[in-house]
């Protein structure tokens, strides 16, 4: 990621506009190989689900409507986030000539962000699947999106401050909402820069600090502060009109019909929610959603492997285990299928936001 760096700064963007420009930058990067750092804030508030998640399982859509909140789907994987003026959005776009693994990219990106926070006197490190943590509490979440031609987009959301009222109202939990328990869970799980620095911090405050500290952390000395060019704006406009403003994209993995069966389990890539469409005594077809940071050929192979397999939790767990190999623990997978079969076709399990872990509030 070392090389000439272009810096783009934006304030108060909408969910669709922010995501459309991020993808436009990485699409353009496929052609010209430019490395671009975009630092920006969203308007209060943008609810963004991960690329592989299902909206209805993660978000209380009635609350979103009542509060007139912006909602969209990121091109990057991971869990649901709520962005606004209190958070800093980071998009780092570059071209990989010799692609690394997703984990290697996230480790490199996480290291850069940790070094940047170090300039503010904060010691952070990458933990779990895609979290940047300070003493075990999350201060930022990371994500990755790659194009077929080598363009790479690294996303990060840095918690300057956190509107816990909106957060707890919008994020769906598998248990009855108890405000005090949700607030306590958020406080235990996350930490803001406002708390760490003992001063009020918003995303706009962090833009200038990160614009100075982040490039040196990347090993870059020459930074050019620019605006998107006309071609990038044209790409963004097209993506805005035909993708990020379309419900077919936002709700592309939404909804469960009575003929569908759901199995949720953990893999080394993240949580997977397997949707099995049943016809008679067999699996007619299947699809895979989840909060995993990047897809994998083995995950992509699951639908074909499961097609027309006879029903039965043990048999189907064996099929999935054989396909996924070391991505999954066989015993835990068997338990997930067994629990799912007992539970029937109930409301989909919540996979997890970027703030509250799987399993919800105890």
């Amino acid at each position: 990621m070392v090389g000439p760096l272009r810096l783009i700064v934006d304030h108060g963007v909408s969910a669709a506009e922010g995501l459309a420009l991020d993808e436009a930058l990485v699409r353009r990067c496929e052609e010209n190989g430019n490395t671009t750092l975009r630092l920006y804030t969203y308007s209060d508030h943008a609810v963004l689900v991960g690329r592989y998640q299902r909206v209805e399982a993660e978000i209380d859509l009635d609350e979103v409507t009542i509060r007139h909140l912006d909602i969209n789907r990121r091109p990057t994987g991971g869990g649901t986030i709520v962005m606004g003026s209190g958070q800093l959005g980071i998009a780092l776009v570059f071209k990989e000539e010799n692609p690394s693994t997703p984990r290697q990219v996230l480790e490199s990106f996480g290291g850069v962000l940790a070094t940047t926070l170090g300039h503010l006197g904060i010691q952070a490190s990458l933990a779990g699947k895609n979290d940047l943590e300070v003493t075990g509490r999350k201060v930022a979440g990371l994500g990755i999106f790659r194009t077929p031609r080598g363009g790479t987009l690294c996303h990060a959301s840095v918690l300057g401050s956190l509107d816990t009222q909106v957060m707890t109202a919008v994020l769906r939990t598998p248990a009855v909402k108890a405000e005090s328990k949700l607030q306590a869970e958020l406080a235990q799980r996350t930490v803001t820069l406002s708390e760490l620095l003992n001063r009020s911090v918003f995303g706009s405050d962090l833009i200038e600090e990160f614009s100075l500290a982040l490039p040196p952390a990347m090993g870059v000395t020459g930074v050019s502060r620019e605006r998107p060019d006309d071609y990038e704006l044209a790409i963004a406009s097209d993506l805005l009109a035909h993708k990020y403003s379309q419900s077919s994209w936002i709700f592309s993995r939404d909804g469960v019909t009575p003929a569908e069966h759901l199995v949720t389990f953990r893999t080394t890539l993240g949580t997977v929610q397997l949707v099995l469409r049943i016809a008679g005594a067999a699996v007619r077809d299947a699809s895979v959603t989840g909060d995993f940071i990047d897809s994998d050929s083995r995950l992509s192979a699951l639908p074909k492997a499961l097609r027309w397999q006879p029903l039965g939790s043990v048999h189907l767990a064996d099929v999935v285990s054989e396909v996924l190999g070391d991505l999954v623990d066989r015993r835990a997978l068997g338990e997930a299928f067994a629990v799912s079969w007992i539970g029937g076709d109930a409301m989909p399990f919540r996979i997890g936001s970027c703030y509250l872990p799987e399993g919800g509030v105890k």
Side-chain angles (χ1 to χ4, degrees):
M1 291 187 283
V2 178
L5 180 68
R6 182 175 62 152
L7 173 65
I8 294 176
V9 172
D10 285 308
H11 297 274
V13 301
S14 72
E17 291 170 343
L19 296 172
L21 183 54
D22 283 347
E23 185 170 342
L25 293 174
V26 75
R27 297 291 181 187
R28 177 63 164 148
C29 177
E30 289 180 325
E31 302 173 11
N32 60 23
N34 285 345
T35 299
T36 301
L37 172 65
R38 185 179 180 218
L39 303 176
Y40 59 107
T41 61
Y42 282 93
S43 298
D44 290 327
H45 287 96
V47 184
L48 309 177
V49 298
R51 180 172 184 173
Y52 305 104
Q53 291 191 298
R54 296 173 52 256
V55 172
E56 191 175 66
E58 306 300 330
I59 298 172
D60 187 329
L61 294 174
D62 289 337
E63 282 289 342
V64 168
T65 301
I66 291 170
R67 294 171 181 269
H68 305 288
L69 302 182
D70 220 352
I71 180 173
N72 220 291
R73 177 182 299 280
R74 303 191 310 274
T76 49
T80 303
I81 60 176
V82 180
M83 298 289 288
S85 59
Q87 293 82 45
L88 172 66
I90 301 176
L92 178 61
V93 172
F94 56 96
K95 188 167 184 178
E96 293 183 275
E97 298 300 337
N98 299 298
S100 307
T101 66
R103 184 63 188 177
Q104 288 171 328
V105 174
L106 285 179
E107 286 177 350
S108 177
F109 185 44
V112 165
L113 295 181
T115 300
T116 302
L117 288 173
H119 288 293
L120 301 178
I122 296 170
Q123 300 302 310
S125 59
L126 190 65
K129 183 173 75 270
N130 61 332
D131 292 346
L132 202 63
E133 294 186 353
V134 177
T135 60
R137 299 166 69 194
K138 179 169 183 171
V139 72
L142 284 60
I144 182 176
F145 166 65
R146 285 162 145 173
T147 69
R149 296 167 57 193
T152 298
L153 165 64
C154 288
H155 260 162
S157 57
V158 181
L159 300 180
S161 57
L162 195 60
D163 191 329
T164 57
Q165 184 179 15
V166 171
M167 210 80 64
T168 54
V170 170
L171 299 180
R172 188 182 292 283
T173 64
V176 176
K177 286 186 177 180
E179 190 70 22
S180 60
K181 289 186 177 181
L182 285 172
Q183 296 286 349
E185 183 81 11
L186 274 172
Q188 182 182 20
R189 176 79 181 96
T190 65
V191 64
T192 65
L193 294 187
S194 293
E195 178 181 344
L196 292 169
L197 298 174
N198 197 30
R199 59 182 170 89
S200 181
V201 177
F202 291 89
S204 57
D205 304 318
L206 294 173
I207 284 178
E208 292 307 316
E209 293 184 85
F210 271 65
S211 66
L212 294 174
L214 207 155
M218 295 170 56
V220 175
T221 55
V223 180
S224 174
R225 191 157 175 164
E226 303 177 11
R227 296 300 305 157
D229 62 34
D230 290 342
Y231 188 36
E232 290 165 335
L233 291 175
I235 298 173
S237 179
D238 184 70
L239 286 168
L240 180 62
H242 298 106
K243 182 174 181 177
Y244 290 103
S245 295
Q246 300 297 315
S247 59
S248 58
W249 166 254
I250 300 170
F251 296 95
S252 60
R253 300 185 183 269
D254 190 32
V256 178
T257 69
E260 293 179 343
H261 194 90
L262 303 167
V263 185
T264 303
F265 56 91
R266 296 284 294 169
T267 74
T268 57
L269 297 174
T271 303
V272 168
Q273 191 168 68
L274 185 62
V275 182
L276 304 175
R277 297 172 185 85
I278 308 301
V283 177
R284 185 189 69 197
D285 59 65
S287 61
V288 176
T289 66
D291 71 348
F292 34 93
I293 57 173
D294 196 28
S295 190
D296 183 282
S297 59
R298 287 169 288 182
L299 289 174
S300 302
L302 267 184
K304 183 178 180 180
L306 289 166
R307 185 170 172 81
W308 299 119
Q309 290 287 344
L311 296 184
S313 60
V314 175
H315 170 68
L316 292 177
D318 285 340
V319 173
V320 172
S321 179
E322 183 177 350
V323 173
L324 296 186
D326 61 3
L327 290 181
V328 68
D329 178 85
R330 175 62 183 85
R331 181 176 178 178
L333 181 64
E335 292 174 352
F337 268 86
V339 169
S340 172
W341 243 248
I342 293 171
D345 296 315
M347 179 67 190
F349 294 119
R350 173 182 163 272
I351 290 175
S353 74
C354 278
Y355 309 100
L356 294 172
E358 296 86 350
V361 180
K362 295 181 171 37

